Amino acid sequence: MNGNDSKKARKQVRVWCDGCYDMVHYGHANQLRQAKEMGDYLIVGIHNDEEIAKHKGPPVFNEKERYKMVRANKWVDEVVEGAPYVTTLETLDKYNCDFCVHGNDITLDAEGLDTYRLVKTAGRYKECERTAGVSTTDLVGRMLLVTKDHHHSSDKTPDREQASSISRDSTSHSPWTGISQFLPTTRKIIQFSEGKSPKPGDRIIYVSGAFDLFHIGHVDFLEKVAALDVIIKAIIP
Ligand code: CTP
């Protein structure tokens, strides 16, 4: 029995994640990857703009953009729009999810309470490794400072206070995470690519670009490229 068969033989494990997923970055992607590994089916609840503004401060991308970005992630099976900021057992039950997965940091609501307190108490909470060195707050700070320091892995860090004060709403809880240490090691490349290699007859399309601050325009472009592949296959025997 291979790994896939044994997964099919037992009950499907349904995993719930939720968050803002603003300016989707590789920290979010790594969280979704780890969450999917903990089960079979991944549902991601995304907070709407109003809910985020109430608890943390307004997001950079609007809810439609944020929903689209997470839908485009290959580990995500389903997106729930407008998920509540505090994760409740009712939400997990409504979507038939066994447990919720969150990065190992604390997220607080407007009252300063842990947003996962209810699922933690019920034993339906699991943690994955938060990716050090990237956060939406950090990205906003980099843009506002137009710093290039994140290109060098030295001990020189951008001015923490300055970036923090201009990039963060006073009610924001996102932690400063410093300079990216996310090195594209062979192990990481395999984890993200799932070790898949092309099969005979597969058409491989090469696209190039900076893909900086990956956004819905990039997703639209990649969707068009993927569709183009089908057309090319259809017209070229
Ligand atoms: N996350 C992560 N690594 C990061 C950033 C986020 O694992 N570097 C995880 C969070 O722990 C959470 C999920 O991604 O489980 C969604 O996070 P989100 O609600 O978007 O916000 P933050 O945790 O505040 O992340 P950021 O500061 O980047 O907005």
Side-chain angles (χ1 to χ4, degrees):
M1 197 185 262
N2 67 28
N4 282 343
D5 289 342
S6 63
K7 267 194 174 186
K8 272 182 213 151
R10 58 169 171 71
K11 179 192 164 287
Q12 187 189 57
V13 175
R14 290 166 67 91
V15 181
W16 173 268
C17 288
D18 54 27
C20 309
Y21 297 94
D22 192 18
M23 300 182 77
V24 167
H25 51 66
Y26 59 80
H28 294 129
N30 200 28
Q31 187 254 341
L32 296 170
R33 179 188 68 77
Q34 294 177 81
K36 182 64 176 267
E37 262 187 2
M38 294 184 197
D40 308 301
Y41 192 84
L42 176 61
I43 305 184
V44 185
I46 305 176
H47 315 312
N48 64 25
D49 297 342
E50 196 188 335
E51 190 82 334
I52 298 175
K54 185 169 122 200
H55 291 277
K56 162 172 181 171
V60 177
F61 283 111
N62 69 38
E63 58 204 35
K64 291 269 171 293
E65 294 168 316
R66 293 181 292 104
Y67 300 153
K68 182 174 172 116
M69 288 304 291
V70 177
R71 266 199 188 100
N73 182 287
K74 66 178 172 181
W75 292 294
V76 175
D77 296 297
E78 204 175 313
V79 161
V80 171
E81 301 184 358
Y85 208 76
V86 173
T87 313
T88 63
L89 296 178
E90 287 73 28
T91 305
L92 293 194
D93 290 342
K94 182 173 174 191
Y95 296 99
N96 214 1
C97 288
D98 297 85
F99 52 84
C100 158
V101 176
H102 178 67
N104 53 349
D105 57 333
I106 296 210
T107 306
L108 304 173
D109 63 16
E111 275 87 50
L113 298 172
D114 184 343
T115 55
Y116 295 100
R117 59 191 182 275
L118 301 169
V119 286
K120 279 180 180 172
T121 309
R124 289 171 72 181
Y125 174 85
K126 291 192 187 199
E127 265 178 4
C128 62
E129 198 69 30
R130 185 178 166 96
T131 305
V134 67
S135 73
T136 303
T137 311
D138 174 30
L139 294 175
V140 173
R142 281 185 203 177
M143 285 190 301
L144 294 177
L145 289 171
V146 201
T147 173
K148 289 191 169 58
D149 286 355
H150 55 281
H151 288 294
H152 313 290
S153 50
S154 69
D155 54 5
K156 235 177 109 216
T157 51
D159 185 326
R160 179 181 169 140
E161 278 316 306
Q162 194 186 355
S164 188
S165 62
I166 54 182
S167 67
R168 195 196 302 199
D169 180 89
S170 59
T171 56
S172 166
H173 304 295
S174 294
W176 168 271
T177 49
I179 285 180
S180 171
Q181 300 297 331
F182 196 82
L183 297 173
T185 56
T186 310
R187 186 165 160 261
K188 285 217 179 77
I189 292 168
I190 289 172
Q191 281 175 336
F192 273 73
S193 67
E194 297 168 67
K196 274 188 195 159
S197 44
K199 296 184 290 300
D202 275 357
R203 189 177 301 277
I204 300 164
I205 300 181
Y206 174 79
V207 292
S208 67
F211 295 101
D212 195 14
L213 287 174
F214 196 69
H215 52 68
I216 56 165
H218 295 128
V219 171
D220 282 339
F221 164 69
L222 293 172
E223 277 174 359
K224 280 189 189 125
V225 173
L228 191 67
D229 185 31
V230 173
I231 293 165
I232 291 173
K233 272 183 184 159
I235 54 177
I236 303 175

